[in-house]
mmCIF file with all atom_site columns, all heavy atoms in Angstrom:
data_model
loop_
_atom_site.group_PDB
_atom_site.id
_atom_site.type_symbol
_atom_site.label_atom_id
_atom_site.label_alt_id
_atom_site.label_comp_id
_atom_site.label_asym_id
_atom_site.label_entity_id
_atom_site.label_seq_id
_atom_site.pdbx_PDB_ins_code
_atom_site.Cartn_x
_atom_site.Cartn_y
_atom_site.Cartn_z
_atom_site.occupancy
_atom_site.B_iso_or_equiv
_atom_site.pdbx_formal_charge
_atom_site.auth_seq_id
_atom_site.auth_comp_id
_atom_site.auth_asym_id
_atom_site.auth_atom_id
_atom_site.pdbx_PDB_model_num
ATOM 1   N N   . ASP H 1 54 ? 109.951 185.863 37.981 1.00 58.00 ? 54 ASP H N   1
ATOM 2   C CA  . ASP H 1 54 ? 111.231 185.346 37.624 1.00 58.00 ? 54 ASP H CA  1
ATOM 3   C C   . ASP H 1 54 ? 111.288 185.107 36.101 1.00 58.00 ? 54 ASP H C   1
ATOM 4   O O   . ASP H 1 54 ? 110.566 184.366 35.507 1.00 58.00 ? 54 ASP H O   1
ATOM 5   C CB  . ASP H 1 54 ? 111.355 183.883 38.370 1.00 58.00 ? 54 ASP H CB  1
ATOM 6   C CG  . ASP H 1 54 ? 112.686 183.285 38.274 1.00 58.00 ? 54 ASP H CG  1
ATOM 7   O OD1 . ASP H 1 54 ? 113.446 183.827 37.326 1.00 58.00 ? 54 ASP H OD1 1
ATOM 8   O OD2 . ASP H 1 54 ? 113.053 182.303 38.923 1.00 58.00 ? 54 ASP H OD2 1
ATOM 9   N N   . SER H 1 55 ? 112.271 185.779 35.543 1.00 50.00 ? 55 SER H N   1
ATOM 10  C CA  . SER H 1 55 ? 112.393 185.762 34.072 1.00 50.00 ? 55 SER H CA  1
ATOM 11  C C   . SER H 1 55 ? 112.815 184.377 33.596 1.00 50.00 ? 55 SER H C   1
ATOM 12  O O   . SER H 1 55 ? 112.614 184.040 32.339 1.00 50.00 ? 55 SER H O   1
ATOM 13  C CB  . SER H 1 55 ? 113.429 186.733 33.670 1.00 50.00 ? 55 SER H CB  1
ATOM 14  O OG  . SER H 1 55 ? 114.712 186.514 34.217 1.00 50.00 ? 55 SER H OG  1
ATOM 15  N N   . LYS H 1 56 ? 113.321 183.527 34.446 1.00 52.00 ? 56 LYS H N   1
ATOM 16  C CA  . LYS H 1 56 ? 113.726 182.173 33.981 1.00 52.00 ? 56 LYS H CA  1
ATOM 17  C C   . LYS H 1 56 ? 112.547 181.283 33.713 1.00 52.00 ? 56 LYS H C   1
ATOM 18  O O   . LYS H 1 56 ? 112.698 180.358 32.897 1.00 52.00 ? 56 LYS H O   1
ATOM 19  C CB  . LYS H 1 56 ? 114.581 181.530 35.060 1.00 52.00 ? 56 LYS H CB  1
ATOM 20  C CG  . LYS H 1 56 ? 115.917 182.347 35.214 1.00 52.00 ? 56 LYS H CG  1
ATOM 21  C CD  . LYS H 1 56 ? 116.790 181.650 36.299 1.00 52.00 ? 56 LYS H CD  1
ATOM 22  C CE  . LYS H 1 56 ? 118.083 182.361 36.584 1.00 52.00 ? 56 LYS H CE  1
ATOM 23  N NZ  . LYS H 1 56 ? 118.924 181.649 37.709 1.00 52.00 ? 56 LYS H NZ  1
ATOM 24  N N   . ASN H 1 57 ? 111.432 181.531 34.354 1.00 52.00 ? 57 ASN H N   1
ATOM 25  C CA  . ASN H 1 57 ? 110.259 180.703 34.183 1.00 52.00 ? 57 ASN H CA  1
ATOM 26  C C   . ASN H 1 57 ? 109.732 180.929 32.765 1.00 52.00 ? 57 ASN H C   1
ATOM 27  O O   . ASN H 1 57 ? 109.730 181.950 32.228 1.00 52.00 ? 57 ASN H O   1
ATOM 28  C CB  . ASN H 1 57 ? 109.212 181.116 35.223 1.00 52.00 ? 57 ASN H CB  1
ATOM 29  C CG  . ASN H 1 57 ? 109.618 180.613 36.586 1.00 52.00 ? 57 ASN H CG  1
ATOM 30  O OD1 . ASN H 1 57 ? 110.142 179.481 36.766 1.00 52.00 ? 57 ASN H OD1 1
ATOM 31  N ND2 . ASN H 1 57 ? 109.313 181.406 37.548 1.00 52.00 ? 57 ASN H ND2 1
ATOM 32  N N   . LEU H 1 58 ? 109.162 179.767 32.157 1.00 50.00 ? 58 LEU H N   1
ATOM 33  C CA  . LEU H 1 58 ? 108.687 179.830 30.799 1.00 50.00 ? 58 LEU H CA  1
ATOM 34  C C   . LEU H 1 58 ? 109.753 180.472 29.946 1.00 50.00 ? 58 LEU H C   1
ATOM 35  O O   . LEU H 1 58 ? 109.424 181.420 29.183 1.00 50.00 ? 58 LEU H O   1
ATOM 36  C CB  . LEU H 1 58 ? 107.389 180.632 30.742 1.00 50.00 ? 58 LEU H CB  1
ATOM 37  C CG  . LEU H 1 58 ? 106.182 179.863 31.289 1.00 50.00 ? 58 LEU H CG  1
ATOM 38  C CD1 . LEU H 1 58 ? 105.005 180.707 31.187 1.00 50.00 ? 58 LEU H CD1 1
ATOM 39  C CD2 . LEU H 1 58 ? 106.006 178.531 30.796 1.00 50.00 ? 58 LEU H CD2 1
ATOM 40  N N   . ALA H 1 59 ? 110.913 179.927 29.917 1.00 49.00 ? 59 ALA H N   1
ATOM 41  C CA  . ALA H 1 59 ? 112.026 180.535 29.099 1.00 49.00 ? 59 ALA H CA  1
ATOM 42  C C   . ALA H 1 59 ? 111.699 180.699 27.639 1.00 49.00 ? 59 ALA H C   1
ATOM 43  O O   . ALA H 1 59 ? 110.954 179.750 27.160 1.00 49.00 ? 59 ALA H O   1
ATOM 44  C CB  . ALA H 1 59 ? 113.297 179.580 29.260 1.00 49.00 ? 59 ALA H CB  1
ATOM 45  N N   . LYS H 1 60 ? 112.209 181.562 26.952 1.00 48.00 ? 60 LYS H N   1
ATOM 46  C CA  . LYS H 1 60 ? 111.953 181.804 25.603 1.00 48.00 ? 60 LYS H CA  1
ATOM 47  C C   . LYS H 1 60 ? 112.691 181.048 24.564 1.00 48.00 ? 60 LYS H C   1
ATOM 48  O O   . LYS H 1 60 ? 112.370 181.006 23.420 1.00 48.00 ? 60 LYS H O   1
ATOM 49  C CB  . LYS H 1 60 ? 112.128 183.304 25.319 1.00 48.00 ? 60 LYS H CB  1
ATOM 50  C CG  . LYS H 1 60 ? 111.298 184.291 26.132 1.00 48.00 ? 60 LYS H CG  1
ATOM 51  C CD  . LYS H 1 60 ? 109.870 184.212 25.853 1.00 48.00 ? 60 LYS H CD  1
ATOM 52  C CE  . LYS H 1 60 ? 109.023 185.295 26.550 1.00 48.00 ? 60 LYS H CE  1
ATOM 53  N NZ  . LYS H 1 60 ? 107.679 185.177 26.343 1.00 48.00 ? 60 LYS H NZ  1
ATOM 54  N N   . TRP H 1 61 ? 113.703 180.265 25.014 1.00 46.00 ? 61 TRP H N   1
ATOM 55  C CA  . TRP H 1 61 ? 114.531 179.542 24.172 1.00 46.00 ? 61 TRP H CA  1
ATOM 56  C C   . TRP H 1 61 ? 114.393 178.123 24.336 1.00 46.00 ? 61 TRP H C   1
ATOM 57  O O   . TRP H 1 61 ? 114.220 177.541 25.503 1.00 46.00 ? 61 TRP H O   1
ATOM 58  C CB  . TRP H 1 61 ? 115.942 179.975 24.323 1.00 46.00 ? 61 TRP H CB  1
ATOM 59  C CG  . TRP H 1 61 ? 116.122 181.513 24.151 1.00 46.00 ? 61 TRP H CG  1
ATOM 60  C CD1 . TRP H 1 61 ? 116.370 182.325 25.141 1.00 46.00 ? 61 TRP H CD1 1
ATOM 61  C CD2 . TRP H 1 61 ? 116.084 182.232 22.933 1.00 46.00 ? 61 TRP H CD2 1
ATOM 62  N NE1 . TRP H 1 61 ? 116.481 183.551 24.626 1.00 46.00 ? 61 TRP H NE1 1
ATOM 63  C CE2 . TRP H 1 61 ? 116.302 183.597 23.238 1.00 46.00 ? 61 TRP H CE2 1
ATOM 64  C CE3 . TRP H 1 61 ? 115.903 181.782 21.577 1.00 46.00 ? 61 TRP H CE3 1
ATOM 65  C CZ2 . TRP H 1 61 ? 116.351 184.531 22.342 1.00 46.00 ? 61 TRP H CZ2 1
ATOM 66  C CZ3 . TRP H 1 61 ? 115.960 182.827 20.623 1.00 46.00 ? 61 TRP H CZ3 1
ATOM 67  C CH2 . TRP H 1 61 ? 116.204 184.256 20.963 1.00 46.00 ? 61 TRP H CH2 1
ATOM 68  N N   . LEU H 1 62 ? 114.424 177.332 23.311 1.00 48.00 ? 62 LEU H N   1
ATOM 69  C CA  . LEU H 1 62 ? 114.226 175.914 23.330 1.00 48.00 ? 62 LEU H CA  1
ATOM 70  C C   . LEU H 1 62 ? 115.719 175.330 23.610 1.00 48.00 ? 62 LEU H C   1
ATOM 71  O O   . LEU H 1 62 ? 116.505 175.195 22.614 1.00 48.00 ? 62 LEU H O   1
ATOM 72  C CB  . LEU H 1 62 ? 113.725 175.391 21.950 1.00 48.00 ? 62 LEU H CB  1
ATOM 73  C CG  . LEU H 1 62 ? 113.613 173.820 21.881 1.00 48.00 ? 62 LEU H CG  1
ATOM 74  C CD1 . LEU H 1 62 ? 112.689 173.260 22.995 1.00 48.00 ? 62 LEU H CD1 1
ATOM 75  C CD2 . LEU H 1 62 ? 113.019 173.364 20.494 1.00 48.00 ? 62 LEU H CD2 1
ATOM 76  N N   . ASP H 1 63 ? 116.121 175.143 24.796 1.00 55.00 ? 63 ASP H N   1
ATOM 77  C CA  . ASP H 1 63 ? 117.436 174.721 25.126 1.00 55.00 ? 63 ASP H CA  1
ATOM 78  C C   . ASP H 1 63 ? 117.627 173.246 24.872 1.00 55.00 ? 63 ASP H C   1
ATOM 79  O O   . ASP H 1 63 ? 116.734 172.468 24.702 1.00 55.00 ? 63 ASP H O   1
ATOM 80  C CB  . ASP H 1 63 ? 117.757 175.072 26.547 1.00 55.00 ? 63 ASP H CB  1
ATOM 81  C CG  . ASP H 1 63 ? 116.876 174.415 27.667 1.00 55.00 ? 63 ASP H CG  1
ATOM 82  O OD1 . ASP H 1 63 ? 116.669 173.255 27.443 1.00 55.00 ? 63 ASP H OD1 1
ATOM 83  O OD2 . ASP H 1 63 ? 116.473 175.256 28.485 1.00 55.00 ? 63 ASP H OD2 1
ATOM 84  N N   . VAL H 1 64 ? 118.909 172.843 24.811 1.00 56.00 ? 64 VAL H N   1
ATOM 85  C CA  . VAL H 1 64 ? 119.381 171.528 24.534 1.00 56.00 ? 64 VAL H CA  1
ATOM 86  C C   . VAL H 1 64 ? 118.838 170.522 25.576 1.00 56.00 ? 64 VAL H C   1
ATOM 87  O O   . VAL H 1 64 ? 118.403 169.438 25.239 1.00 56.00 ? 64 VAL H O   1
ATOM 88  C CB  . VAL H 1 64 ? 120.824 171.449 24.477 1.00 56.00 ? 64 VAL H CB  1
ATOM 89  C CG1 . VAL H 1 64 ? 121.287 169.954 24.237 1.00 56.00 ? 64 VAL H CG1 1
ATOM 90  C CG2 . VAL H 1 64 ? 121.388 172.253 23.366 1.00 56.00 ? 64 VAL H CG2 1
ATOM 91  N N   . SER H 1 65 ? 118.821 170.915 26.878 1.00 63.00 ? 65 SER H N   1
ATOM 92  C CA  . SER H 1 65 ? 118.353 169.989 27.850 1.00 63.00 ? 65 SER H CA  1
ATOM 93  C C   . SER H 1 65 ? 116.885 169.620 27.665 1.00 63.00 ? 65 SER H C   1
ATOM 94  O O   . SER H 1 65 ? 116.509 168.552 27.953 1.00 63.00 ? 65 SER H O   1
ATOM 95  C CB  . SER H 1 65 ? 118.545 170.656 29.193 1.00 63.00 ? 65 SER H CB  1
ATOM 96  O OG  . SER H 1 65 ? 117.847 171.839 29.302 1.00 63.00 ? 65 SER H OG  1
ATOM 97  N N   . THR H 1 66 ? 116.037 170.633 27.218 1.00 66.00 ? 66 THR H N   1
ATOM 98  C CA  . THR H 1 66 ? 114.560 170.358 27.071 1.00 66.00 ? 66 THR H CA  1
ATOM 99  C C   . THR H 1 66 ? 114.517 169.244 25.891 1.00 66.00 ? 66 THR H C   1
ATOM 100 O O   . THR H 1 66 ? 113.713 168.360 25.999 1.00 66.00 ? 66 THR H O   1
ATOM 101 C CB  . THR H 1 66 ? 113.909 171.666 26.698 1.00 66.00 ? 66 THR H CB  1
ATOM 102 O OG1 . THR H 1 66 ? 113.976 172.533 27.662 1.00 66.00 ? 66 THR H OG1 1
ATOM 103 C CG2 . THR H 1 66 ? 112.499 171.319 26.401 1.00 66.00 ? 66 THR H CG2 1
ATOM 104 N N   . VAL H 1 67 ? 115.227 169.486 24.830 1.00 62.00 ? 67 VAL H N   1
ATOM 105 C CA  . VAL H 1 67 ? 115.125 168.494 23.653 1.00 62.00 ? 67 VAL H CA  1
ATOM 106 C C   . VAL H 1 67 ? 115.708 167.136 24.076 1.00 62.00 ? 67 VAL H C   1
ATOM 107 O O   . VAL H 1 67 ? 115.074 166.184 23.709 1.00 62.00 ? 67 VAL H O   1
ATOM 108 C CB  . VAL H 1 67 ? 115.970 169.127 22.554 1.00 62.00 ? 67 VAL H CB  1
ATOM 109 C CG1 . VAL H 1 67 ? 115.939 168.066 21.295 1.00 62.00 ? 67 VAL H CG1 1
ATOM 110 C CG2 . VAL H 1 67 ? 115.438 170.372 21.992 1.00 62.00 ? 67 VAL H CG2 1
ATOM 111 N N   . SER H 1 68 ? 116.783 167.202 24.859 1.00 65.00 ? 68 SER H N   1
ATOM 112 C CA  . SER H 1 68 ? 117.400 165.812 25.306 1.00 65.00 ? 68 SER H CA  1
ATOM 113 C C   . SER H 1 68 ? 116.299 165.074 26.175 1.00 65.00 ? 68 SER H C   1
ATOM 114 O O   . SER H 1 68 ? 116.434 163.814 26.242 1.00 65.00 ? 68 SER H O   1
ATOM 115 C CB  . SER H 1 68 ? 118.706 165.997 26.044 1.00 65.00 ? 68 SER H CB  1
ATOM 116 O OG  . SER H 1 68 ? 118.466 166.739 27.214 1.00 65.00 ? 68 SER H OG  1
#
Side-chain angles (χ1 to χ4, degrees):
D54 190 346
S55 60
K56 293 180 182 178
N57 290 318
L58 287 182
K60 300 294 184 184
W61 305 104
L62 181 58
D63 58 45
V64 175
S65 62
T66 301
V67 176
S68 65

